[in-house]
Amino acid sequence: MCPKNLALHHPAAATLLKYASGGCPANTGKPWTREEMQAAIDRGPHVSALDPEAREQLQQEVQDKVKKGQARLVLWDEIRNQPPKELKISPIAMIPHKSRNFRAILDLSFRLRLKNGGFLPSVNENTMLEAPAGAIDQLGHSLSRLIHAMAEAGPEDKVFMAKFDIKDGFWRLNCKEGEEWNFAYVLPQAEGEPVRLVVPSSLQMGWVESPPNFCAASETARDVAEQYTETPIGSLKDNKFVDYAIGNETVKALPKSVAENEFRYLEEVYVDDFMALAIAVSQEQVRHVANALLTGIHDVFPEDDVDEDDPISLKKLQQLEGQFALHKELLGFDFDGVLKTMILSTKKREILLATLHKWIRSASRSQMGIPFQEFESVTSKLRHAFIAIPAGKGLMTPFNKLLQLRPPVVYLHRNKPLLQVIKDCRDLLREATKSPTPCQELVLGETDFVGVKDASIHGVGGVVIGDKEACIPTVFRMEWPEDIKQEVLKTNSGQKGKITNSDLECAGLLLLWLVMEQVCSPKPGANFALFSDNSPTVSWANRMAARGSLVAGELLRALTLRMKTKQASPLTTMHIAGQENAMTDIPSRSFGKLLDRVPTVLRNSYAGDFRLADAGFRDGRVASTTQTREAYWASWKAYVQPLGVDPHLQNTPFTEAVRALTGFAARVRIGGFGRGRTVKADTVSTAISAVGKEISLASGHNPTKLKFSDKLLPRIAQMLDGWRKDDEPVMKKLPVEVDIPEYLVKIGLAPEATEMMKASGDLALVAYYYLLRIGEYTRGSSPRSAKKQTVDYRMRDVVFFGIDEYGGLKQISRKEPDEVIMTAQCATLRLDNQKNGWRNVCVNHHHNGDDIFCPVRALGRRYNHIRKRMQNNWNTPLSTVWDEKGKKMHVTDKIIRQGLKMAATVLEYPEHRGIPVERIDTHSLRIGGANALHLAGYSDREIQKMGRWRSDTFKEYVREQLSNFSEGMSRSMSKKFEFVNIEGGVCHDISRTVMGMEYNNGVTEVAATA
């Protein structure tokens, strides 16, 4: 692999040139000991490689690799005394393969059991992930893009397809010199022969970093091929393999050229398989796409003078895989370029059907079970097959249940629901053989019909309307049978009922579909959007599977089979908030007695209750968020006014709306509505979201996003992704240790210190120990801070505790003198509101034994200072300070920030810790305290509770419980851990400084003297 020509101008060119000249890095962790190496050699190859036929094939392959310089053979006896530092030995396996008897795979995930009972981590486990991630991220989208291309083709279009394979793909990327030893293995040989190690010089299949490294090259080749395809037809030189690509009779039947040379095409790559689709109407167009793709591949994987050794597999070309045709197997599926259909490839389908048939027969004739490993493998193959049979996804719930349980053996005669769905899977595969699935039925499109439903314990109700297509607007309702109601009541009362509320909602979704079948009379390929206010139902419908509910699984099975009979496209299932679903909530509950019991004269009163609830919903918005949205909305209106575009984009053509939105985004990007400086892509995204939110509040539709989706329009999303690539990476703030706030406290103790110095030092210490957010103990220096949700602590939020005569905690009265406050054993802070919306949460710390550098003492000093001057106003913030002249001020975030940076400079954080001053900010106190707790051995749960990072499983109740949990925590946090930023070497070389520091064994001078 070595990029050339157009590939040298690709963004990945520098990386590929580095790989080509110096090899791919293979950092696989700490070196093995000689004993570990010997243990791996004694373990030897995988048992599959010891088969005589497999062993003979592997030995021949190794000899061929040695001749080509891609591997070398080394006698273990020659290196055992001084083995290479990077030597690691993994077992080689020989796996049956479709095009040859065996395929060699190095098992780099193998964990070796040692004699002492422990395990030696595998090469993959210890590998440092350094390969580019962007390229491999495309793998999961290749098949989807092929399906979408087929679906978008017109009824009369003919789609020509071809596939080109890279021969020995991973072997074309060499390892960095010396690091090839990470991939050594024992060569299987006859007993008695000396141990030989095979040391490949290239990346190995089975290594976790091989796919991303190789995909960096193959995706580059695809990008280059696409650039070549965009050149004028006839401008490319014929590739030496182009005649293999255009020899099909259907291509020869096309006219040689046409006047209009614009055509649609798609070029994809999946690891080492390059694929091209072209809706071509002339031989010239097909030749052009073939030349472009072949040339793009050779720009990254240089062609060889010997065709048999060329990166593009000559063998596969001779098998006509690279020939453009209207029928082609791509990524395990047979595609039809005329009918635009797809189905699992014939060979895979036949093997799968044979396995299912064997299972069904064994279940009826014997009690033999299926080994779980076989069951798991076939389940995975069924999932793959059902990519082309969407109805099959609704059959997977019984499979999912067993995959969770992982029994050693699966018995079908004991599991009737599983046996039934296996029969259904077989029937679907058989039917697909006769009638492959149109790709149009596999992709989401613009919604034709919309259905909204709600279910209650009484019944189900819903509404059906047309969107793109017309239908009679319909409201329906159905009352549940009494036995269904009773089962749900059992479940809700804690008894063992068979049906849950979510099951009812899922049944409602099925009923909604059945109503839409009758009302909408959908055509094949129609698109439906279904809304529900039940989150589990929405999740189940999106996955067409339910893990926890067999009832829901059966309902989904029925839904998918009904959808198949109507040849519908995949559902767009969306969640709608319950309070916004009154339209269907009313019919679903119209069977109950509750509404009947409300007298007519009271209905206005109930309506008032609902209005009050809606007002509370509106008041839930954070002021700062609302202000930002309103500012961007004003800018948007000013921007579109000269364009003559309605700000709400009502009746605006789609192309004009997108152009206006992207233009507005560009103006925001360059700072046109700010300070004239380029802003980051996330800021632009906020602006676009603000516009979309305002429009949706007014019209119910967000034009910046795909319909019935939270995803931005592709044009906008791709634009933002491009800008994010150009943005500088975010430099995260680094933690500081307790010595920083302690230094600020020392400054406050100096005779010449001002009250502001004392206050900022004490508050910094409190913030460090209590893991406070900056807005909780300071006043923001900008007007925007006052509109945020987080509020700062007030005097009323502070409670001190002493020790009673029985040794327990007792609350200290707020009226006690200063001296008593300063003897408190612990102190609690209760926060009224915070960033995550968690209210009335309290955190507690105990006295750590130091009367100066203690969070309880620092809090006492602030408390006493404010109490003398606050005039009994217990809502006074802890950030309040009165100077020597009695002037009232506040500690601000700016003051704390400046203090931290000053202290870090004095304490030589950049030199001794590798922590640059510019990466220290107010957040450094909070994360520093959290790090100190972690290093002191406190659990994640305890740290999460102290820092009030919200979780469904963690809630604070009373201060006594928090006191018990936090006892001793402040004492542990006062320990100095000497934080060192290992990234600091980028800015400063701290090695000499650290190595030259005096060793501190923790023994104080007083203790040593004693």
Side-chain angles (χ1 to χ4, degrees):
M1 186 280 301
C2 185
K4 64 177 184 178
N5 300 333
L6 203 56
L8 292 174
H9 301 283
H10 191 276
T15 300
L16 298 186
L17 285 171
K18 181 180 177 182
Y19 289 174
S21 60
C24 298
N27 187 347
T28 62
K30 70 175 184 177
W32 287 7
T33 65
R34 293 186 194 179
E35 292 75 14
E36 291 170 339
M37 294 177 188
Q38 187 63 56
I41 288 174
D42 294 340
R43 164 64 177 77
H46 191 271
V47 65
S48 62
L50 300 178
D51 177 82
E53 187 179 354
R55 183 176 65 188
E56 182 180 353
Q57 178 182 318
L58 178 60
Q59 289 176 347
Q60 183 58 51
E61 289 181 4
V62 170
Q63 293 299 328
D64 292 342
K65 297 297 183 187
V66 171
K67 289 179 182 179
K68 294 178 181 179
Q70 294 179 329
R72 53 181 160 161
L73 279 171
V74 179
L75 284 170
W76 170 240
D77 288 340
E78 293 181 356
I79 64 170
R80 71 162 64 234
N81 293 326
Q82 288 186 322
K85 179 182 177 183
E86 300 296 333
L87 178 60
K88 296 179 177 68
I89 303 100
S90 302
I92 190 73
M94 296 295 283
I95 308 301
H97 192 254
K98 61 181 180 180
S99 61
R100 49 188 169 177
N101 291 336
F102 301 96
R103 184 180 208 174
I105 295 182
L106 192 58
D107 189 359
L108 294 163
S109 295
F110 181 79
R111 302 179 74 201
L112 180 66
R113 183 185 290 274
L114 302 174
K115 291 182 180 180
N116 60 11
F119 285 93
L120 181 63
S122 68
V123 171
N124 276 343
E125 281 181 286
N126 280 351
T127 294
M128 298 289 291
L129 302 181
E130 301 173 326
I136 198 169
D137 290 343
Q138 299 299 317
L139 279 186
H141 305 291
S142 298
L143 180 58
S144 176
R145 286 195 282 257
L146 293 177
I147 295 172
H148 276 76
M150 281 287 188
E152 292 174 4
E156 304 300 323
D157 292 335
K158 293 182 178 180
V159 183
F160 292 87
M161 298 162 282
K163 182 176 72 173
F164 303 94
D165 182 66
I166 300 298
K167 179 182 177 183
D168 298 331
F170 291 166
W171 287 92
R172 298 191 177 274
L173 270 72
N174 291 330
C175 296
K176 194 173 182 179
E177 186 175 357
E179 296 182 357
E180 70 276 8
W181 292 95
N182 287 293
F183 308 120
Y185 61 89
V186 176
L187 180 68
Q189 299 178 113
E191 191 173 349
E193 294 190 27
V195 176
R196 288 181 171 84
L197 297 180
V198 181
V199 185
S201 61
S202 307
L203 300 187
Q204 293 299 290
M205 181 176 294
W207 185 42
V208 67
E209 284 283 79
S210 290
N213 276 314
F214 185 84
C215 286
S218 60
E219 286 287 345
T220 299
R222 191 217 71 86
D223 293 345
V224 172
E226 191 173 70
Q227 289 182 272
Y228 280 127
T229 309
E230 290 296 313
T231 61
I233 291 179
S235 62
L236 298 177
K237 180 182 176 182
D238 275 350
N239 187 276
K240 66 177 182 178
F241 290 139
V242 71
D243 290 335
Y244 285 101
I246 60 174
N248 190 273
E249 292 301 321
T250 54
V251 175
K252 293 180 179 179
L254 296 173
K256 288 189 176 180
S257 61
V258 292
E260 180 56 59
N261 268 326
E262 288 191 6
F263 66 99
R264 287 179 288 168
Y265 68 92
L266 175 71
E267 288 159 340
E268 280 295 330
V269 61
Y270 186 87
V271 189
D272 57 357
D273 286 339
F274 287 83
M275 295 155 284
L277 276 63
I279 303 177
V281 294
S282 71
Q283 296 180 37
E284 274 189 346
Q285 292 174 350
V286 178
R287 178 181 288 270
H288 183 71
V289 175
N291 275 321
L293 188 53
L294 293 168
T295 305
I297 295 172
H298 279 151
D299 271 11
V300 176
F301 302 96
E303 62 184 292
D304 196 290
D305 294 335
V306 180
D307 289 354
E308 288 77 7
D309 294 333
D310 197 272
I312 299 174
S313 174
L314 178 63
K315 178 182 176 182
K316 297 294 179 68
L317 290 175
Q318 292 170 341
Q319 293 173 353
L320 306 184
E321 285 193 7
Q323 191 177 83
F324 277 88
L326 295 174
H327 298 85
K328 186 70 63 176
E329 179 183 338
L330 302 174
L331 299 182
F333 291 91
D334 291 334
F335 285 86
D336 186 325
V338 178
L339 300 177
K340 274 74 76 177
T341 61
M342 67 179 291
I343 185 175
L344 189 69
S345 65
T346 303
K347 186 174 181 180
K348 292 184 177 182
R349 190 170 66 252
E350 289 175 349
I351 293 174
L352 200 49
L353 279 169
T355 302
L356 296 180
H357 183 65
K358 180 187 73 172
W359 286 3
I360 295 169
R361 289 187 63 185
S362 66
S364 60
R365 297 185 179 185
S366 69
Q367 295 185 354
M368 293 180 60
I370 305 167
F372 179 76
Q373 189 173 6
E374 177 186 344
F375 178 81
E376 188 176 35
S377 173
V378 172
T379 300
S380 176
K381 293 175 182 177
L382 281 172
R383 292 189 194 280
H384 182 70
F386 290 158
I387 293 175
I389 311 174
K393 296 178 182 178
L395 307 179
M396 299 307 294
T397 296
F399 290 90
N400 296 337
K401 196 74 174 176
L402 278 172
L403 291 179
Q404 283 182 307
L405 298 174
R406 301 187 68 84
V409 180
V410 177
Y411 294 100
L412 295 182
H413 67 281
R414 300 178 185 173
N415 194 332
K416 298 302 180 183
L418 178 61
L419 178 59
Q420 182 58 54
V421 298
I422 288 175
K423 292 179 180 179
D424 291 343
C425 291
R426 178 195 60 184
D427 294 342
L428 285 178
L429 287 169
R430 285 176 174 174
E431 185 179 347
T433 303
K434 301 175 184 177
S435 179
T437 306
C439 291
Q440 192 176 12
E441 295 179 14
L442 302 175
V443 300
L444 292 172
E446 190 173 352
T447 304
D448 296 309
F449 306 100
V450 177
V452 189
K453 66 88 199 164
D454 188 28
S456 69
I457 195 172
H458 307 293
V460 60
V463 176
V464 178
I465 58 174
D467 190 359
K468 184 180 176 183
E469 298 291 333
C471 75
I472 299 174
T474 303
V475 180
F476 74 92
R477 68 172 189 160
M478 190 189 87
E479 186 174 9
W480 299 123
E482 193 60 33
D483 58 335
I484 299 294
K485 295 180 182 179
Q486 292 305 315
E487 287 295 330
V488 179
L489 285 172
K490 287 182 183 178
T491 304
N492 292 346
S493 62
Q495 303 178 46
K496 293 184 178 180
K498 299 178 181 178
I499 302 174
T500 66
N501 287 323
S502 293
D503 293 334
L504 287 184
E505 294 281 1
C506 193
L509 198 72
L510 174 59
L511 288 168
L512 173 61
W513 173 264
L514 294 174
V515 172
M516 296 182 79
E517 281 188 14
Q518 299 301 314
V519 173
C520 303
S521 302
K523 300 176 182 177
N527 290 274
F528 294 81
L530 307 186
F531 287 82
S532 172
D533 60 6
N534 181 260
S535 297
T537 297
V538 173
S539 176
W540 292 337
N542 282 330
R543 293 184 287 111
M544 280 298 170
R547 290 184 180 178
S549 172
L550 290 177
V551 174
E554 287 298 306
L555 292 167
L556 293 172
R557 172 171 168 260
L559 175 60
T560 53
L561 293 176
R562 290 302 307 172
M563 289 175 60
K564 180 163 180 59
T565 62
K566 294 299 180 180
Q567 297 180 278
S569 294
L571 291 177
T572 299
T573 313
M574 298 292 292
H575 183 267
I576 181 172
Q579 62 265 33
E580 299 176 4
N581 198 19
M583 182 169 57
T584 57
D585 182 70
I586 293 172
S588 73
R589 299 177 186 273
S590 60
F591 306 101
K593 305 300 181 183
L594 180 61
L595 293 179
D596 296 338
R597 290 201 298 264
V598 178
T600 305
V601 295
L602 296 179
R603 288 178 183 171
N604 286 338
S605 175
Y606 279 88
D609 296 336
F610 299 150
R611 286 193 294 271
L612 182 61
D614 292 339
F617 176 77
R618 290 191 298 271
D619 292 340
R621 299 178 298 176
V622 179
S624 61
T625 304
T626 303
Q627 184 185 35
T628 300
R629 190 168 69 228
E630 290 173 351
Y632 280 127
W633 177 248
S635 300
W636 162 253
K637 289 194 295 184
Y639 183 80
V640 298
Q641 195 271 333
L643 297 174
V645 173
D646 175 21
H648 292 91
L649 299 179
Q650 299 301 300
N651 301 319
T652 303
F654 176 78
T655 53
E656 291 185 16
V658 173
R659 173 53 67 194
L661 287 167
T662 52
F664 173 73
R667 183 70 62 86
V668 174
R669 172 75 169 173
I670 63 175
F673 300 112
R675 300 177 181 178
R677 295 196 298 263
T678 300
V679 299
K680 292 193 173 184
D682 288 341
T683 302
V684 181
S685 178
T686 300
I688 292 293
S689 298
V691 172
K693 184 69 173 179
E694 282 291 335
I695 296 176
S696 66
L697 288 173
S699 64
H701 170 61
N702 189 338
T704 67
K705 296 182 178 180
L706 294 170
K707 191 172 288 188
F708 307 116
S709 171
D710 287 334
K711 296 181 178 179
L712 290 170
L713 295 174
R715 178 87 179 183
I716 297 175
Q718 189 169 341
M719 172 190 69
L720 292 173
D721 287 343
W723 286 342
R724 287 190 180 98
K725 294 176 183 177
D726 295 333
D727 288 341
E728 292 291 330
V730 177
M731 299 297 289
K732 294 184 178 180
K733 301 306 178 184
L734 297 176
V736 297
E737 207 167 351
V738 70
D739 56 350
I740 292 285
E742 286 183 352
Y743 181 81
L744 295 178
V745 172
K746 287 180 184 178
I747 293 177
L749 294 176
E752 65 274 16
T754 64
E755 288 297 332
M756 182 60 75
M757 292 178 181
K758 296 176 182 178
S760 58
D762 287 337
L763 288 176
L765 192 68
V766 170
Y768 173 85
Y769 279 93
Y770 283 86
L771 307 186
L772 301 185
R773 299 179 179 91
I774 184 63
E776 295 170 349
Y777 63 97
T778 66
R779 281 293 173 91
S781 53
S782 67
R784 188 173 181 269
S785 303
K787 298 183 180 180
K788 292 189 175 182
Q789 185 162 324
T790 300
V791 297
D792 44 355
Y793 283 105
R794 301 158 299 182
M795 287 289 288
R796 63 185 295 180
D797 301 321
V798 184
V799 180
F800 293 95
F801 293 86
I803 303 296
D804 62 16
E805 60 270 29
Y806 302 104
L809 290 177
K810 68 172 182 179
Q811 182 175 335
I812 297 176
S813 170
R814 298 185 183 278
K815 298 180 180 179
E816 292 289 348
D818 293 356
E819 296 78 16
V820 176
I821 296 294
M822 294 303 292
T823 62
Q825 291 302 304
C826 63
T828 294
L829 291 175
R830 182 180 295 275
L831 189 60
D832 181 68
N833 202 0
Q834 54 184 326
K835 182 179 180 181
N836 56 19
W838 208 356
R839 306 192 66 171
N840 287 327
V841 177
C842 60
V843 285
N844 178 279
H845 259 306
H846 283 252
H847 178 43
N848 65 3
D850 193 313
D851 282 337
I852 301 298
F853 305 120
C854 169
V856 179
R857 296 293 176 262
L859 200 54
R861 290 192 290 268
R862 297 311 319 134
Y863 188 91
N864 289 337
H865 171 82
I866 298 172
R867 188 173 57 167
K868 295 174 184 177
R869 303 165 176 85
M870 68 180 189
Q871 297 179 350
N872 207 34
N873 178 12
W874 291 97
N875 288 319
T876 303
L878 287 181
S879 61
T880 310
V881 182
W882 281 267
D883 66 9
E884 295 74 14
K885 297 181 180 180
K887 181 181 178 181
K888 182 179 177 181
M889 300 178 294
H890 287 280
V891 177
T892 65
D893 54 351
K894 182 177 180 181
I895 292 173
I896 296 293
R897 184 178 298 109
Q898 291 174 343
L900 296 179
K901 292 179 181 294
M902 178 271 295
T905 302
V906 174
L907 296 175
E908 299 181 331
Y909 259 57
E911 295 82 3
H912 288 174
R913 314 291 179 87
I915 300 179
V917 172
E918 59 268 22
R919 296 186 65 179
I920 293 176
D921 207 329
T922 55
H923 196 54
S924 299
L925 290 171
R926 181 167 162 86
I927 59 177
N931 275 278
L933 284 173
H934 178 73
L935 293 171
Y938 283 89
S939 69
D940 291 345
R941 174 186 171 89
E942 292 168 324
I943 298 172
Q944 190 167 16
K945 289 171 73 68
M946 177 57 68
R948 295 150 294 123
W949 285 286
R950 190 169 191 176
S951 168
D952 291 336
T953 55
F954 298 129
K955 293 183 180 290
E956 294 290 336
Y957 292 103
V958 298
R959 66 177 70 91
E960 188 68 28
Q961 292 173 325
L962 184 59
S963 170
N964 292 339
F965 129 75
S966 65
E967 186 170 359
M969 188 179 282
S970 62
R971 189 181 303 274
S972 297
M973 290 172 68
S974 66
K975 178 182 177 182
K976 297 183 174 63
F977 293 98
E978 297 296 334
F979 294 160
V980 174
N981 174 23
I982 60 173
E983 192 182 344
V986 177
C987 304
H988 305 279
D989 183 359
I990 65 170
S991 303
R992 294 181 180 275
T993 303
V994 174
M995 292 176 65
M997 291 173 62
E998 182 179 353
Y999 179 72
N1000 180 5
N1001 61 3
V1003 180
T1004 65
E1005 184 174 313
V1006 175
T1009 304

